[in-house]
Amino acid sequence: MESIVCKHWHHCDAKEVTKLLDTEPDKGLSPFEAKHRLEKFGPNMVTEQKQKSPLVKFLLQFHQPLIHILLVAGTVTLFLKEWVDSSVIFGVVIINAIIGFIQESKAESAIESLKKMMTTQTNVLRDGKWQTIDAVNLVVGDIVQLHSGDKVPADVRILRCRDLQVDESALTGESVPVIKKEEVIEEDTILADRRNMAYAGTLVTYGQARAVVVATGDGTETGRISGLIASAADLSTPLTKKIAAFSKVLVVAILFLAAVTFLVGLWRGENPVYMFLAAVALAVGAIPEGLPAAVTITLAIGVNRMAKKKAIIRKLPAVETLGSTTVICSDKTGTLTENQMTVKKIFAANCIYDVSGSGYAPEGELLCEEKPLGSDLPFVLKETLMAGLLCNDSRLVQEDNLWRIEGDPTEGALITAARKAGFTPEKAKEEMPRLDEIPFESERQFMATLHSHKTEEGNMIYVKGAVEKVLEACSGHINVEGRRAALDKDSLLAKVDSMAREGLRVLALARKVTDKEALEVEDCLSGLTFLGLQGMIDPPRAEAIASVRDCHKAGIMVKMITGDHAITATEIARQLNIGQEVRKDNSTPVTITGKELEKMTDEALISEAERTSVFARVAPEQKLRLVEALQARDHVVAMTGDGVNDAPALKQADIGVAMGITGTDVSKEAADMVLTDDNFASITRAVEEGRRIFDNLVKFITWTLPTNGGEGLVILAAIFSGVTLPILPVQILWVNMTTALLLGLMLAFEPGEPDIMDYPPREPNSPILTGVLIMRILGVSFLMLAAVFSIFVWQKHQGYPLAEARTVAVNLFVMIELSYLYNCRSLTKSMFRLGVFSNPWVLFGSATMIILQLMYTYAPFMNTIFQSAPITLQDWLLIILVSLAVYSIIGAEKWLRSHVFHKFR
């Protein structure tokens, strides 16, 4: 349901909101009014988008240029009454359609995930009575109660709250829970900073609140994101674009040549039926029947390989897309970072201590000037850690060898830091049991706890909170000797600024000895002794640093697009070596915020997206705009993310990469690929695998086209010279289908070449085949023409029977293809540099192909089916010598280009 009356609820005071929504904060709606609104505006759920029927989805799988070519080939073989061959071709078409249907039908389930996300129970005030209802029955104007652990059931305006904190990381990218308040805020405040609002699907981590529902269903921010997902275009991948363009050209060329063949034959006075069959032979020879199957099977092999490398492919062509990626746009929280707050620096008694390790695992140690401190810690450092450990309401737990926090991430970081120094919560609480506490409130900006103390005279108050508030209450500090001394607040604030510039969130810790048995707020407002500072950050993954470096080496730009604060994003980017370059005009910082993006025109955004690498405080629709801006510059964009806020951009990107462990269902369903280990480093492996797959597809195309070209040229030469066809349509089908299966497809198993990550991505608009490869294809085609046609004509003049001469021609085609296959294992290097046995599948396919050709030549039933005949040993020697000559010529051409002309890529 759409929100009503007012768009900027955060800019309206609580009384105005309830008045506009015709509700009462202490009574709520009446059951009848709630029922009326539910009937009028609908349930609190995301509207399911209209989908194509399964039949239409399946039929659309046949609407591809290469499938059109394959259907033509199948129709031709059916016309020729070659039932087996036509059955094989149509079988390939159907299998390809089934695979595509299964893969693509999953893409629309993102909307369903959004609906599941909003299904929850909630406490609602109806007619003055609190009751629990399904959130789907909430309406605008309902008064709801929020408690720690609740999922926010709809978009709400907070009326009053106590210590409310909401985890909005899935929606905004903010890595720590957001402190909420009820006060009116500025109208132009971005979504991530609307402190008096809570949004559907986010999680209450602390405190409680009473709020009024202002939007439900499609009208919520989550529902609006659903609309963004639905409106984002499903782009074709670079591979499918290039194959489609290539196929269209091939179709035109084949039809043109077939027509020319038919007309030339008629002009020469040949029988029209004979010429029609010759034209069919030319078309069958020129159509690469194995190409669509090779593309599908090669990609499928890539899917299996990538699954073993922790990357699950949801859409088959996405395997190749990542290998062509020129830009990776990554969310920060949970993708480039651990999504676990970690104390990195502690300041106490004018000394800075570093804390090793990352995340909630209590593995690491404290260091001073890069030297481990061991167990003998300075007194003030011990107290700083103890204050963070005891002034704390969270728990650190271990499940399945993984550490997680129950409670606030900031408090989790303090517990982990203390445990690294050897302190445990259990022992600390036993030695200093808690007597009282003052919970954190946003107005006070500190938390305090009172503990009995066995060694001190009296009880101990520990305080943690915002630096400015804690320092106001401090009258001294503990120096390095453990004595109380005067406090230099200016020097301390300078140290805080220095830590903040490193992207650290800084908390101050203090203590006070008292004889009181209960704690009052006034006890914490003066007379405190400052202990130290703890600076924490959601740290970058160690693997992500290496992964980003590898991406740069491979010529791939990495951009951070996050909803987190600019200072934090900039520091994480610095640690990851993202965006450290300064713009040429030096006019603006490297990091750009969502507010700045909001003011940019589309043209300005396209320019900024190209040259800026860090974008902070970005809203979901801005992430989508950034992806579109990069695509406007013809970039192939990969977008990684794990939150609801990433889903529209994941769907719009050429390939969306979601996190499998921390990722929401929404992001996974919108993505093309899911990383099962949430490891950014897996993207580097995926890029390498994608490049390997694309290279292998190019190798297959470079190998298969000369066969089709050679066969077509031989038919043309025979027609134009008035010679009997050296090879029949049924024999052409035999050559094309068997060699594609047993020889060409073996290239799909070719390992990646050693330098595959040492060159930049292919230009997005570049053709599949470079000029060098086109020349090689033409060269091999004409070598086949020269060898097959000349030997066929010579043998006819020598009196060879027609069946024997055609059998020699067929074997010559196959053996040249077999030798040329070894040239194509690398398009730039000799197969001996790769290793003769590095791809055993090629050896297996070659041996099997030779056995089949021997059967084709000598088995009586094959002679009958394909009109072949046995040939002599002398014929075989001639065939082998010619095929080795072709291999040597292509090998010499590769060597010359590599060592003399230095031109391949």
Side-chain angles (χ1 to χ4, degrees), residues 742-773:
L742 294 173
L743 299 182
L745 279 181
M746 300 304 106
L747 292 172
F749 299 96
E750 195 66 37
E753 296 184 33
D755 61 348
I756 197 168
M757 291 293 285
D758 292 343
Y759 57 86
R762 296 172 59 89
E763 289 291 332
N765 294 325
S766 65
I768 298 175
L769 300 174
T770 63
V772 170
L773 295 181

Coordinates of all heavy atoms in Angstrom, one line a residue, residues 742-773:
L742 N 34.1 -35.0 -30.7 CA 35.2 -35.7 -30.2 C 36.5 -34.8 -30.2 O 37.4 -35.1 -29.5 CB 35.4 -37.0 -31.0 CG 34.3 -38.0 -30.8 CD1 34.5 -39.2 -31.8 CD2 34.3 -38.5 -29.4
L743 N 36.6 -33.8 -31.1 CA 37.8 -33.0 -31.2 C 37.5 -31.6 -30.6 O 38.2 -31.2 -29.6 CB 38.2 -32.9 -32.6 CG 38.6 -34.2 -33.3 CD1 39.1 -33.9 -34.7 CD2 39.6 -35.0 -32.5
G744 N 36.6 -30.9 -31.1 CA 36.4 -29.5 -30.7 C 36.0 -29.3 -29.3 O 36.6 -28.5 -28.6
L745 N 35.1 -30.2 -28.8 CA 34.6 -30.0 -27.4 C 35.7 -30.4 -26.4 O 35.6 -30.0 -25.2 CB 33.4 -30.9 -27.2 CG 32.1 -30.4 -27.6 CD1 30.9 -31.3 -27.3 CD2 31.8 -29.0 -27.0
M746 N 36.8 -31.1 -26.8 CA 37.9 -31.3 -25.9 C 38.6 -30.1 -25.5 O 39.3 -30.0 -24.5 CB 38.8 -32.3 -26.5 CG 38.3 -33.7 -26.9 SD 37.5 -34.5 -25.5 CE 35.7 -34.3 -25.9
L747 N 38.4 -29.0 -26.3 CA 39.1 -27.7 -26.0 C 38.4 -27.1 -24.8 O 39.0 -26.2 -24.1 CB 39.0 -26.8 -27.2 CG 39.9 -27.2 -28.4 CD1 39.6 -26.2 -29.6 CD2 41.4 -27.1 -28.0
A748 N 37.2 -27.5 -24.5 CA 36.5 -27.0 -23.3 C 37.2 -27.3 -22.0 O 37.0 -26.6 -21.0 CB 35.0 -27.5 -23.3
F749 N 38.0 -28.4 -22.0 CA 38.7 -28.9 -20.8 C 40.1 -28.3 -20.8 O 40.8 -28.7 -19.9 CB 38.7 -30.4 -20.8 CG 37.4 -31.1 -20.8 CD1 36.8 -31.5 -22.0 CD2 36.7 -31.2 -19.6 CE1 35.5 -32.1 -22.0 CE2 35.4 -31.8 -19.6 CZ 34.9 -32.2 -20.8
E750 N 40.4 -27.4 -21.7 CA 41.8 -26.9 -21.8 C 42.0 -26.0 -20.5 O 41.3 -25.1 -20.2 CB 42.0 -26.1 -23.0 CG 43.4 -25.8 -23.4 CD 44.2 -27.0 -23.7 OE1 43.7 -27.9 -24.4 OE2 45.4 -27.0 -23.3
P751 N 43.1 -26.3 -19.8 CA 43.4 -25.5 -18.6 C 43.7 -24.0 -19.0 O 44.1 -23.7 -20.2 CB 44.7 -26.1 -18.0 CG 44.8 -27.5 -18.6 CD 44.1 -27.4 -20.0
G752 N 43.6 -23.1 -18.1 CA 43.9 -21.7 -18.4 C 45.4 -21.6 -18.6 O 46.3 -22.2 -18.0
E753 N 45.8 -20.7 -19.5 CA 47.2 -20.4 -19.8 C 47.8 -19.6 -18.7 O 47.1 -18.8 -18.1 CB 47.3 -19.7 -21.2 CG 46.8 -20.6 -22.3 CD 47.0 -20.0 -23.7 OE1 48.0 -19.3 -23.9 OE2 46.2 -20.3 -24.6
P754 N 49.1 -19.8 -18.5 CA 49.8 -19.1 -17.4 C 49.6 -17.6 -17.3 O 49.6 -17.0 -16.2 CB 51.3 -19.5 -17.6 CG 51.2 -20.8 -18.4 CD 50.1 -20.6 -19.3
D755 N 49.5 -16.9 -18.4 CA 49.5 -15.5 -18.4 C 48.1 -14.9 -18.6 O 47.9 -13.8 -19.0 CB 50.4 -14.9 -19.6 CG 49.9 -15.4 -20.9 OD1 49.1 -16.3 -21.0 OD2 50.4 -14.8 -21.9
I756 N 47.1 -15.7 -18.2 CA 45.7 -15.4 -18.5 C 45.2 -14.1 -17.7 O 44.4 -13.4 -18.2 CB 44.8 -16.6 -18.2 CG1 43.4 -16.4 -18.9 CG2 44.6 -16.8 -16.8 CD1 42.5 -17.6 -18.9
M757 N 45.9 -13.9 -16.6 CA 45.5 -12.7 -15.8 C 46.5 -11.6 -15.9 O 46.5 -10.7 -15.1 CB 45.4 -13.1 -14.3 CG 44.2 -14.0 -14.0 SD 42.6 -13.2 -14.3 CE 42.5 -12.2 -12.8
D758 N 47.3 -11.6 -16.9 CA 48.4 -10.6 -17.1 C 48.0 -9.6 -18.1 O 48.8 -8.7 -18.5 CB 49.7 -11.2 -17.4 CG 50.3 -12.0 -16.2 OD1 49.8 -11.8 -15.1 OD2 51.2 -12.9 -16.5
Y759 N 46.8 -9.7 -18.7 CA 46.4 -8.7 -19.7 C 45.1 -8.1 -19.4 O 44.3 -8.8 -18.7 CB 46.4 -9.4 -21.1 CG 45.6 -10.6 -21.3 CD1 44.2 -10.5 -21.6 CD2 46.1 -11.9 -21.1 CE1 43.4 -11.6 -21.8 CE2 45.3 -13.0 -21.3 CZ 44.0 -12.8 -21.6 OH 43.2 -13.9 -21.8
P760 N 44.8 -7.0 -19.9 CA 43.5 -6.3 -19.5 C 42.3 -7.0 -20.2 O 42.5 -7.8 -21.1 CB 43.7 -4.9 -20.1 CG 44.7 -5.0 -21.2 CD 45.6 -6.1 -20.7
P761 N 41.1 -6.7 -19.7 CA 39.9 -7.3 -20.2 C 39.8 -7.0 -21.7 O 40.2 -6.0 -22.2 CB 38.8 -6.7 -19.4 CG 39.4 -6.1 -18.2 CD 40.8 -5.7 -18.6
R762 N 39.1 -7.9 -22.4 CA 38.7 -7.6 -23.8 C 37.9 -6.4 -23.9 O 37.0 -6.1 -23.0 CB 38.0 -8.8 -24.4 CG 38.8 -10.1 -24.5 CD 37.9 -11.2 -24.9 NE 37.3 -11.0 -26.3 CZ 37.9 -11.3 -27.4 NH1 39.1 -11.9 -27.4 NH2 37.3 -11.0 -28.6
E763 N 38.1 -5.6 -24.9 CA 37.2 -4.4 -25.1 C 35.7 -5.0 -25.3 O 35.5 -5.9 -26.0 CB 37.6 -3.7 -26.4 CG 38.9 -2.9 -26.3 CD 38.8 -1.7 -25.3 OE1 37.6 -1.2 -25.2 OE2 39.8 -1.4 -24.7
P764 N 34.8 -4.3 -24.5 CA 33.4 -4.9 -24.6 C 32.8 -4.9 -26.0 O 32.0 -5.8 -26.3 CB 32.6 -3.8 -23.7 CG 33.7 -3.3 -22.8 CD 35.0 -3.2 -23.6
N765 N 33.2 -4.0 -26.8 CA 32.7 -4.0 -28.2 C 33.5 -4.7 -29.2 O 33.3 -4.6 -30.4 CB 32.5 -2.5 -28.6 CG 31.4 -1.8 -27.8 OD1 30.4 -2.4 -27.4 ND2 31.6 -0.5 -27.5
S766 N 34.6 -5.3 -28.8 CA 35.5 -6.0 -29.7 C 34.8 -7.3 -30.2 O 34.0 -7.9 -29.5 CB 36.8 -6.3 -29.0 OG 36.6 -7.3 -28.0
P767 N 35.1 -7.7 -31.4 CA 34.5 -8.9 -32.0 C 35.1 -10.1 -31.3 O 36.1 -10.1 -30.6 CB 34.9 -8.9 -33.5 CG 36.2 -8.0 -33.5 CD 36.0 -7.0 -32.4
I768 N 34.4 -11.2 -31.4 CA 34.9 -12.5 -30.8 C 36.3 -12.8 -31.4 O 37.2 -13.2 -30.7 CB 33.9 -13.6 -31.1 CG1 32.6 -13.4 -30.4 CG2 34.5 -15.0 -30.6 CD1 31.5 -14.4 -30.8
L769 N 36.4 -12.7 -32.7 CA 37.6 -13.0 -33.4 C 38.4 -11.8 -33.8 O 37.9 -10.9 -34.4 CB 37.3 -13.9 -34.6 CG 36.6 -15.2 -34.4 CD1 36.2 -15.8 -35.7 CD2 37.4 -16.1 -33.6
T770 N 39.7 -11.8 -33.5 CA 40.6 -10.7 -33.9 C 40.9 -10.8 -35.3 O 40.7 -11.9 -36.0 CB 41.8 -10.6 -33.0 OG1 42.6 -11.9 -33.3 CG2 41.5 -10.5 -31.5
G771 N 41.5 -9.8 -35.9 CA 42.0 -9.8 -37.3 C 43.0 -11.0 -37.5 O 42.9 -11.6 -38.6
V772 N 43.9 -11.2 -36.5 CA 44.8 -12.3 -36.7 C 44.2 -13.6 -36.8 O 44.5 -14.5 -37.6 CB 45.8 -12.2 -35.4 CG1 46.7 -13.5 -35.4 CG2 46.6 -11.0 -35.4
L773 N 43.1 -13.8 -35.9 CA 42.5 -15.1 -36.0 C 41.6 -15.3 -37.2 O 41.5 -16.4 -37.8 CB 41.6 -15.3 -34.7 CG 42.3 -15.3 -33.4 CD1 41.4 -15.5 -32.2 CD2 43.4 -16.5 -33.4

